[in-house]
PDB file of all heavy atoms in Angstrom:
ATOM      1  N   TYR B 118     -51.060   8.367  10.835  1.00  0.00           N
ATOM      2  CA  TYR B 118     -50.935   7.049  11.448  1.00  0.00           C
ATOM      3  C   TYR B 118     -51.098   6.001  10.357  1.00  0.00           C
ATOM      4  O   TYR B 118     -52.129   5.913   9.699  1.00  0.00           O
ATOM      5  CB  TYR B 118     -51.961   6.875  12.566  1.00  0.00           C
ATOM      6  CG  TYR B 118     -51.606   7.725  13.769  1.00  0.00           C
ATOM      7  CD1 TYR B 118     -51.915   9.085  13.787  1.00  0.00           C
ATOM      8  CD2 TYR B 118     -50.909   7.183  14.843  1.00  0.00           C
ATOM      9  CE1 TYR B 118     -51.548   9.889  14.859  1.00  0.00           C
ATOM     10  CE2 TYR B 118     -50.544   7.979  15.924  1.00  0.00           C
ATOM     11  CZ  TYR B 118     -50.862   9.330  15.920  1.00  0.00           C
ATOM     12  OH  TYR B 118     -50.481  10.118  16.976  1.00  0.00           O
ATOM     13  N   LEU B 119     -50.032   5.226  10.170  1.00  0.00           N
ATOM     14  CA  LEU B 119     -49.981   4.227   9.104  1.00  0.00           C
ATOM     15  C   LEU B 119     -50.138   2.827   9.682  1.00  0.00           C
ATOM     16  O   LEU B 119     -49.529   2.497  10.694  1.00  0.00           O
ATOM     17  CB  LEU B 119     -48.648   4.309   8.372  1.00  0.00           C
ATOM     18  CG  LEU B 119     -48.373   5.584   7.574  1.00  0.00           C
ATOM     19  CD1 LEU B 119     -46.890   5.695   7.246  1.00  0.00           C
ATOM     20  CD2 LEU B 119     -49.182   5.583   6.284  1.00  0.00           C
ATOM     21  N   CYS B 120     -50.919   2.030   9.008  1.00  0.00           N
ATOM     22  CA  CYS B 120     -51.046   0.623   9.355  1.00  0.00           C
ATOM     23  C   CYS B 120     -50.432  -0.194   8.224  1.00  0.00           C
ATOM     24  O   CYS B 120     -50.522   0.190   7.045  1.00  0.00           O
ATOM     25  CB  CYS B 120     -52.513   0.259   9.540  1.00  0.00           C
ATOM     26  SG  CYS B 120     -52.813  -1.487   9.880  1.00  0.00           S
ATOM     27  N   ALA B 121     -49.802  -1.287   8.561  1.00  0.00           N
ATOM     28  CA  ALA B 121     -49.230  -2.175   7.555  1.00  0.00           C
ATOM     29  C   ALA B 121     -49.489  -3.622   7.951  1.00  0.00           C
ATOM     30  O   ALA B 121     -49.639  -3.930   9.138  1.00  0.00           O
ATOM     31  CB  ALA B 121     -47.731  -1.939   7.406  1.00  0.00           C
ATOM     32  N   SER B 122     -49.542  -4.493   6.969  1.00  0.00           N
ATOM     33  CA  SER B 122     -49.653  -5.917   7.279  1.00  0.00           C
ATOM     34  C   SER B 122     -48.660  -6.687   6.421  1.00  0.00           C
ATOM     35  O   SER B 122     -48.188  -6.190   5.391  1.00  0.00           O
ATOM     36  CB  SER B 122     -51.080  -6.428   7.046  1.00  0.00           C
ATOM     37  OG  SER B 122     -51.415  -6.435   5.668  1.00  0.00           O
ATOM     38  N   SER B 123     -48.318  -7.866   6.871  1.00  0.00           N
ATOM     39  CA  SER B 123     -47.463  -8.746   6.090  1.00  0.00           C
ATOM     40  C   SER B 123     -47.924 -10.180   6.295  1.00  0.00           C
ATOM     41  O   SER B 123     -48.566 -10.505   7.300  1.00  0.00           O
ATOM     42  CB  SER B 123     -45.988  -8.582   6.459  1.00  0.00           C
ATOM     43  OG  SER B 123     -45.743  -9.013   7.781  1.00  0.00           O
ATOM     44  N   LEU B 124     -47.578 -11.025   5.335  1.00  0.00           N
ATOM     45  CA  LEU B 124     -48.017 -12.409   5.372  1.00  0.00           C
ATOM     46  C   LEU B 124     -47.556 -13.090   6.665  1.00  0.00           C
ATOM     47  O   LEU B 124     -48.296 -13.789   7.333  1.00  0.00           O
ATOM     48  CB  LEU B 124     -47.470 -13.144   4.143  1.00  0.00           C
ATOM     49  CG  LEU B 124     -48.092 -14.487   3.809  1.00  0.00           C
ATOM     50  CD1 LEU B 124     -49.590 -14.335   3.576  1.00  0.00           C
ATOM     51  CD2 LEU B 124     -47.432 -15.073   2.561  1.00  0.00           C
ATOM     52  N   ASP B 125     -46.295 -12.880   6.979  1.00  0.00           N
ATOM     53  CA  ASP B 125     -45.733 -13.390   8.226  1.00  0.00           C
ATOM     54  C   ASP B 125     -44.495 -12.580   8.538  1.00  0.00           C
ATOM     55  O   ASP B 125     -44.344 -11.481   8.024  1.00  0.00           O
ATOM     56  CB  ASP B 125     -45.419 -14.896   8.119  1.00  0.00           C
ATOM     57  CG  ASP B 125     -44.556 -15.216   6.910  1.00  0.00           C
ATOM     58  OD1 ASP B 125     -43.627 -14.429   6.616  1.00  0.00           O
ATOM     59  OD2 ASP B 125     -44.791 -16.240   6.255  1.00  0.00           O
ATOM     60  N   ARG B 126     -43.609 -13.132   9.355  1.00  0.00           N
ATOM     61  CA  ARG B 126     -42.430 -12.378   9.768  1.00  0.00           C
ATOM     62  C   ARG B 126     -41.173 -12.778   9.004  1.00  0.00           C
ATOM     63  O   ARG B 126     -40.096 -12.406   9.379  1.00  0.00           O
ATOM     64  CB  ARG B 126     -42.201 -12.588  11.269  1.00  0.00           C
ATOM     65  CG  ARG B 126     -43.173 -11.827  12.109  1.00  0.00           C
ATOM     66  CD  ARG B 126     -42.898 -10.341  12.051  1.00  0.00           C
ATOM     67  NE  ARG B 126     -41.718  -9.990  12.816  1.00  0.00           N
ATOM     68  CZ  ARG B 126     -40.940  -8.949  12.558  1.00  0.00           C
ATOM     69  NH1 ARG B 126     -41.202  -8.194  11.523  1.00  0.00           N
ATOM     70  NH2 ARG B 126     -39.906  -8.692  13.315  1.00  0.00           N
ATOM     71  N   SER B 127     -41.341 -13.535   7.942  1.00  0.00           N
ATOM     72  CA  SER B 127     -40.152 -13.949   7.205  1.00  0.00           C
ATOM     73  C   SER B 127     -39.599 -12.792   6.376  1.00  0.00           C
ATOM     74  O   SER B 127     -40.300 -11.821   6.093  1.00  0.00           O
ATOM     75  CB  SER B 127     -40.483 -15.130   6.297  1.00  0.00           C
ATOM     76  OG  SER B 127     -41.466 -14.758   5.350  1.00  0.00           O
ATOM     77  N   TYR B 128     -38.367 -12.921   5.960  1.00  0.00           N
ATOM     78  CA  TYR B 128     -37.692 -11.836   5.256  1.00  0.00           C
ATOM     79  C   TYR B 128     -38.296 -11.552   3.888  1.00  0.00           C
ATOM     80  O   TYR B 128     -38.198 -10.450   3.390  1.00  0.00           O
ATOM     81  CB  TYR B 128     -36.215 -12.163   5.077  1.00  0.00           C
ATOM     82  CG  TYR B 128     -35.390 -11.890   6.303  1.00  0.00           C
ATOM     83  CD1 TYR B 128     -34.142 -12.450   6.441  1.00  0.00           C
ATOM     84  CD2 TYR B 128     -35.865 -11.081   7.315  1.00  0.00           C
ATOM     85  CE1 TYR B 128     -33.375 -12.187   7.558  1.00  0.00           C
ATOM     86  CE2 TYR B 128     -35.117 -10.820   8.440  1.00  0.00           C
ATOM     87  CZ  TYR B 128     -33.862 -11.384   8.560  1.00  0.00           C
ATOM     88  OH  TYR B 128     -33.091 -11.122   9.658  1.00  0.00           O
ATOM     89  N   ASN B 129     -38.890 -12.542   3.261  1.00  0.00           N
ATOM     90  CA  ASN B 129     -39.468 -12.276   1.948  1.00  0.00           C
ATOM     91  C   ASN B 129     -40.929 -11.883   2.063  1.00  0.00           C
ATOM     92  O   ASN B 129     -41.723 -12.095   1.163  1.00  0.00           O
ATOM     93  CB  ASN B 129     -39.301 -13.497   1.036  1.00  0.00           C
ATOM     94  CG  ASN B 129     -39.981 -14.726   1.598  1.00  0.00           C
ATOM     95  OD1 ASN B 129     -40.526 -14.698   2.696  1.00  0.00           O
ATOM     96  ND2 ASN B 129     -39.970 -15.805   0.838  1.00  0.00           N
ATOM     97  N   SER B 130     -41.281 -11.317   3.183  1.00  0.00           N
ATOM     98  CA  SER B 130     -42.652 -10.886   3.432  1.00  0.00           C
ATOM     99  C   SER B 130     -42.654  -9.408   3.807  1.00  0.00           C
ATOM    100  O   SER B 130     -42.743  -9.055   4.982  1.00  0.00           O
ATOM    101  CB  SER B 130     -43.253 -11.715   4.560  1.00  0.00           C
ATOM    102  OG  SER B 130     -44.596 -11.382   4.782  1.00  0.00           O
ATOM    103  N   PRO B 131     -42.516  -8.530   2.816  1.00  0.00           N
ATOM    104  CA  PRO B 131     -42.434  -7.104   3.126  1.00  0.00           C
ATOM    105  C   PRO B 131     -43.757  -6.555   3.643  1.00  0.00           C
ATOM    106  O   PRO B 131     -44.818  -7.144   3.445  1.00  0.00           O
ATOM    107  CB  PRO B 131     -42.075  -6.476   1.782  1.00  0.00           C
ATOM    108  CG  PRO B 131     -42.575  -7.429   0.758  1.00  0.00           C
ATOM    109  CD  PRO B 131     -42.434  -8.790   1.369  1.00  0.00           C
ATOM    110  N   LEU B 132     -43.677  -5.399   4.296  1.00  0.00           N
ATOM    111  CA  LEU B 132     -44.870  -4.744   4.813  1.00  0.00           C
ATOM    112  C   LEU B 132     -45.635  -4.059   3.686  1.00  0.00           C
ATOM    113  O   LEU B 132     -45.036  -3.419   2.823  1.00  0.00           O
ATOM    114  CB  LEU B 132     -44.480  -3.695   5.857  1.00  0.00           C
ATOM    115  CG  LEU B 132     -44.289  -4.164   7.299  1.00  0.00           C
ATOM    116  CD1 LEU B 132     -43.162  -5.159   7.404  1.00  0.00           C
ATOM    117  CD2 LEU B 132     -44.049  -2.976   8.204  1.00  0.00           C
ATOM    118  N   HIS B 133     -46.960  -4.205   3.735  1.00  0.00           N
ATOM    119  CA  HIS B 133     -47.845  -3.506   2.806  1.00  0.00           C
ATOM    120  C   HIS B 133     -48.603  -2.459   3.612  1.00  0.00           C
ATOM    121  O   HIS B 133     -49.335  -2.808   4.545  1.00  0.00           O
ATOM    122  CB  HIS B 133     -48.822  -4.486   2.155  1.00  0.00           C
ATOM    123  CG  HIS B 133     -48.146  -5.541   1.334  1.00  0.00           C
ATOM    124  ND1 HIS B 133     -47.964  -5.414  -0.036  1.00  0.00           N
ATOM    125  CD2 HIS B 133     -47.597  -6.722   1.688  1.00  0.00           C
ATOM    126  CE1 HIS B 133     -47.339  -6.484  -0.475  1.00  0.00           C
ATOM    127  NE2 HIS B 133     -47.098  -7.294   0.532  1.00  0.00           N
ATOM    128  N   PHE B 134     -48.430  -1.204   3.238  1.00  0.00           N
ATOM    129  CA  PHE B 134     -49.013  -0.109   4.003  1.00  0.00           C
ATOM    130  C   PHE B 134     -50.365   0.335   3.448  1.00  0.00           C
ATOM    131  O   PHE B 134     -50.605   0.281   2.235  1.00  0.00           O
ATOM    132  CB  PHE B 134     -48.081   1.109   3.996  1.00  0.00           C
ATOM    133  CG  PHE B 134     -46.911   0.979   4.916  1.00  0.00           C
ATOM    134  CD1 PHE B 134     -45.732   0.376   4.487  1.00  0.00           C
ATOM    135  CD2 PHE B 134     -46.971   1.473   6.213  1.00  0.00           C
ATOM    136  CE1 PHE B 134     -44.643   0.253   5.329  1.00  0.00           C
ATOM    137  CE2 PHE B 134     -45.886   1.367   7.069  1.00  0.00           C
ATOM    138  CZ  PHE B 134     -44.720   0.755   6.635  1.00  0.00           C
ATOM    139  N   GLY B 135     -51.211   0.810   4.365  1.00  0.00           N
ATOM    140  CA  GLY B 135     -52.412   1.518   3.955  1.00  0.00           C
ATOM    141  C   GLY B 135     -52.071   2.972   3.671  1.00  0.00           C
ATOM    142  O   GLY B 135     -50.914   3.391   3.787  1.00  0.00           O
ATOM    143  N   ASN B 136     -53.094   3.747   3.293  1.00  0.00           N
ATOM    144  CA  ASN B 136     -52.867   5.153   2.956  1.00  0.00           C
ATOM    145  C   ASN B 136     -52.796   6.055   4.193  1.00  0.00           C
ATOM    146  O   ASN B 136     -52.523   7.245   4.074  1.00  0.00           O
ATOM    147  CB  ASN B 136     -53.949   5.656   2.017  1.00  0.00           C
ATOM    148  CG  ASN B 136     -53.790   5.073   0.625  1.00  0.00           C
ATOM    149  OD1 ASN B 136     -52.707   4.630   0.240  1.00  0.00           O
ATOM    150  ND2 ASN B 136     -54.869   5.044  -0.138  1.00  0.00           N
ATOM    151  N   GLY B 137     -53.063   5.491   5.341  1.00  0.00           N
ATOM    152  CA  GLY B 137     -52.905   6.260   6.565  1.00  0.00           C
ATOM    153  C   GLY B 137     -54.144   7.032   6.991  1.00  0.00           C
ATOM    154  O   GLY B 137     -55.066   7.265   6.202  1.00  0.00           O
ATOM    155  N   THR B 138     -54.164   7.394   8.271  1.00  0.00           N
ATOM    156  CA  THR B 138     -55.163   8.314   8.818  1.00  0.00           C
ATOM    157  C   THR B 138     -54.425   9.559   9.264  1.00  0.00           C
ATOM    158  O   THR B 138     -53.513   9.473  10.100  1.00  0.00           O
ATOM    159  CB  THR B 138     -55.904   7.708  10.020  1.00  0.00           C
ATOM    160  OG1 THR B 138     -56.684   6.603   9.600  1.00  0.00           O
ATOM    161  CG2 THR B 138     -56.809   8.756  10.670  1.00  0.00           C
ATOM    162  N   ARG B 139     -54.819  10.701   8.699  1.00  0.00           N
ATOM    163  CA  ARG B 139     -54.197  11.960   9.118  1.00  0.00           C
ATOM    164  C   ARG B 139     -54.960  12.486  10.320  1.00  0.00           C
ATOM    165  O   ARG B 139     -56.136  12.855  10.219  1.00  0.00           O
ATOM    166  CB  ARG B 139     -54.218  12.993   7.994  1.00  0.00           C
ATOM    167  CG  ARG B 139     -53.591  14.326   8.385  1.00  0.00           C
ATOM    168  CD  ARG B 139     -53.502  15.289   7.209  1.00  0.00           C
ATOM    169  NE  ARG B 139     -52.643  14.768   6.158  1.00  0.00           N
ATOM    170  CZ  ARG B 139     -51.316  14.853   6.165  1.00  0.00           C
ATOM    171  NH1 ARG B 139     -50.696  15.450   7.157  1.00  0.00           N
ATOM    172  NH2 ARG B 139     -50.610  14.368   5.157  1.00  0.00           N
ATOM    173  N   LEU B 140     -54.326  12.497  11.477  1.00  0.00           N
ATOM    174  CA  LEU B 140     -54.943  12.967  12.713  1.00  0.00           C
ATOM    175  C   LEU B 140     -54.467  14.385  13.008  1.00  0.00           C
ATOM    176  O   LEU B 140     -53.261  14.646  13.047  1.00  0.00           O
ATOM    177  CB  LEU B 140     -54.589  12.051  13.890  1.00  0.00           C
ATOM    178  CG  LEU B 140     -55.082  12.502  15.263  1.00  0.00           C
ATOM    179  CD1 LEU B 140     -56.608  12.453  15.319  1.00  0.00           C
ATOM    180  CD2 LEU B 140     -54.490  11.646  16.368  1.00  0.00           C
ATOM    181  N   THR B 141     -55.427  15.275  13.207  1.00  0.00           N
ATOM    182  CA  THR B 141     -55.124  16.656  13.585  1.00  0.00           C
ATOM    183  C   THR B 141     -55.797  16.948  14.908  1.00  0.00           C
ATOM    184  O   THR B 141     -57.022  16.820  15.031  1.00  0.00           O
ATOM    185  CB  THR B 141     -55.615  17.647  12.525  1.00  0.00           C
ATOM    186  OG1 THR B 141     -55.037  17.322  11.255  1.00  0.00           O
ATOM    187  CG2 THR B 141     -55.217  19.078  12.899  1.00  0.00           C
ATOM    188  N   VAL B 142     -54.993  17.325  15.900  1.00  0.00           N
ATOM    189  CA  VAL B 142     -55.523  17.668  17.216  1.00  0.00           C
ATOM    190  C   VAL B 142     -55.445  19.179  17.370  1.00  0.00           C
ATOM    191  O   VAL B 142     -54.361  19.770  17.295  1.00  0.00           O
ATOM    192  CB  VAL B 142     -54.739  16.969  18.340  1.00  0.00           C
ATOM    193  CG1 VAL B 142     -55.346  17.307  19.691  1.00  0.00           C
ATOM    194  CG2 VAL B 142     -54.720  15.463  18.125  1.00  0.00           C
TER     195      VAL B 142
END
Side-chain angles (χ1 to χ4, degrees):
Chain B
Y118 289 80
L119 294 164
C120 177
S122 68
S123 66
L124 195 59
D125 53 40
R126 285 289 286 152
S127 61
Y128 279 162
N129 60 357
S130 183
L132 274 62
H133 298 265
F134 283 87
N136 288 338
T138 294
R139 180 174 297 278
L140 175 66
T141 303
V142 182

